[in-house]
Amino acid sequence: MRVCRFRCDDLVLTGFYRDDAVIPLDQAAELYSRETGDEMLLADTEDLLDLLPPNGPSFQQARRLYEWVEDLDVIALNELTMPRAEVDLLVPLPSPSKMLFLAGNYSKHLVERGYMSTERQETFPYVFTKPPSTTLTHPGDPIVIPAISPDQIDWECELGVVIGKRCKNVSEQDALKYVAGYTVVNDVSDRSFRPNPDRKARERDKFFDWLHGKWHDTFCPMGPCILSADSVADPQALPIKLTVNDEVKQNATTAEMVFPVAAVVEFVSRFITLEPGDVIATGTPSGVGSATGVFLKPGDVVRATIAPIGTLVNPVRGENEGEFRPSDLR
């Protein structure tokens, strides 16, 4: 089951996501009640967590409605669907309290970036954050190349894990029980950000240059939907592909992770309380632009796909091509 948030005629709605259309939940529930005589009551909310496991108050109803919709004939289904071109998809989670990102969780990516490959037993996950209010970017909205450092803006397609239940100190064995679902994240990165080029060099400059290069406005596109956790038998068996202008750049699978999803949730929960709506982006595979010296430029179109979640599409533009306001992200 894939659920999404979208805007239509200035209304923010929730729906079932299809690759070429959305199905508004309120209309689907109304048709279900009319056709079956069984009143379908869903939480009146824009929060997708209410529709997802493990604790969503309307999860069971949403799952039953989804299965009923999937069995509709073509004519009835067409009456419910709204073509993608008629709606604006929104980030699935507008205000996550935490967005946590893994660095170097795919061995081949480590190697292409000039680092040594590593084994799980020898190390631990590197975790960093991004500010949600200014980095989160809707599907279809532009990745904005910052005027302050425009030359090495890179892509990173990642599996995003959405936490559905508060947890602390969970075991790897139980970790997936706390997951609501999965989404697609593009951890856009500035590989050459270097504030104050005339600065006096300090020991940790390189690390903070790298970290601050993750924080530019619009540098976290997310979506187009959330795939419910109960629809994913194994999060380590998902194909990942990213294209720029239809040219394949990344083509891998989540099986290549050094630390699998359950291990990541266990590790983070040892020292951070994870809350419903928190997002953990689990690292990117090989194929980033810095490996070949090819980077994003205005006019590019980036498509990040994780089947069976969907494809996150974002154009690229320069900062001076139009005013950017953080409020635009909402």
Side-chain angles (χ1 to χ4, degrees):
M1 180 176 72
R2 295 184 290 178
V3 292
C4 65
R5 296 171 64 247
F6 63 96
R7 182 182 289 112
C8 181
D9 295 332
D10 294 326
L11 295 175
V12 175
L13 303 170
T14 57
F16 295 125
Y17 179 81
R18 301 171 72 88
D19 290 335
D20 58 353
V22 297
I23 299 174
L25 258 70
D26 57 350
Q27 295 183 29
E30 181 180 343
L31 181 62
Y32 175 94
S33 299
R34 188 168 64 246
E35 293 291 324
T36 67
D38 179 15
E39 188 174 12
M40 173 62 67
L41 298 175
L42 296 171
D44 184 16
T45 178
E46 298 174 12
D47 190 347
L48 296 184
L49 293 179
D50 288 341
L51 309 171
L52 294 168
N55 284 347
S58 292
F59 167 57
Q60 295 299 336
Q61 296 96 316
R63 167 57 73 178
R64 186 167 76 251
L65 179 61
Y66 170 77
E67 292 172 352
W68 181 80
V69 166
E70 288 297 298
D71 285 337
L72 289 175
D73 60 46
V74 174
I75 295 176
L77 188 61
N78 285 342
E79 291 179 355
L80 277 179
T81 58
M82 302 179 66
R84 277 277 293 101
E86 295 181 6
V87 303
D88 294 319
L89 287 174
L90 305 175
V91 289
L93 301 158
S95 302
S97 63
K98 293 187 286 294
M99 296 200 309
L100 306 172
F101 293 73
L102 263 65
N105 197 32
Y106 287 74
S107 291
K108 291 180 181 178
H109 174 56
L110 283 170
V111 172
E112 74 176 355
R113 293 279 292 145
Y115 302 102
M116 293 182 61
S117 179
T118 187
E119 297 294 333
R120 174 179 171 179
Q121 294 77 10
E122 301 170 343
T123 184
F124 63 92
Y126 286 168
V127 183
F128 64 96
T129 68
K130 287 193 174 190
S133 62
T134 50
T135 60
L136 270 178
T137 300
H138 299 305
D141 279 5
I143 297 166
V144 179
I145 294 180
I148 193 173
S149 180
D151 297 328
Q152 295 187 26
I153 308 305
D154 209 343
W155 54 82
E156 294 189 19
C157 183
E158 307 195 6
L159 175 67
V161 180
V162 180
I163 300 299
K165 182 179 179 181
R166 192 173 190 267
C167 60
K168 183 72 180 291
N169 293 318
V170 300
S171 67
E172 182 173 345
Q173 180 179 359
D174 292 333
L176 296 185
K177 297 176 183 178
Y178 295 83
V179 174
Y182 302 91
T183 190
V184 183
V185 174
N186 189 351
D187 174 23
V188 182
S189 305
D190 180 352
R191 304 296 190 191
S192 63
F193 191 47
R194 196 170 183 271
N196 189 6
D198 298 325
R199 65 198 182 185
K200 179 181 179 180
R202 295 176 294 174
E203 180 181 357
R204 291 178 290 176
D205 282 1
K206 185 175 181 180
F207 168 76
F208 281 100
D209 287 348
W210 170 84
L211 181 62
H212 297 159
K214 298 282 190 176
W215 291 354
H216 295 304
D217 295 339
T218 75
F219 270 30
C220 186
M222 182 186 296
C225 63
I226 298 176
L227 174 66
S228 61
D230 65 309
S231 300
V232 180
D234 182 4
Q236 306 311 136
L238 303 177
I240 295 180
K241 183 171 73 171
L242 182 141
T243 66
V244 179
N245 303 330
D246 296 325
E247 180 180 350
V248 176
K249 299 295 186 180
Q250 293 183 289
N251 195 5
T253 169
T254 55
E256 299 176 18
M257 288 182 187
V258 177
F259 294 92
V261 170
V264 171
V265 174
E266 177 194 46
F267 173 77
V268 174
S269 75
R270 289 179 189 171
F271 60 98
I272 299 174
T273 297
L274 291 171
E275 300 169 306
D278 287 349
V279 179
I280 305 174
T282 51
T284 198
S286 60
V288 296
S290 57
T292 58
V294 177
F295 298 100
L296 295 175
K297 61 185 185 301
D300 287 344
V301 177
V302 183
R303 291 178 170 85
T305 302
I306 300 181
I309 301 171
T311 298
L312 172 64
V313 182
N314 296 94
V316 181
R317 69 165 173 82
E319 184 175 5
N320 295 328
E321 294 177 33
E323 182 182 2
F324 168 75
R325 298 169 298 169
S327 60
D328 291 340
L329 299 181
R330 302 296 180 209

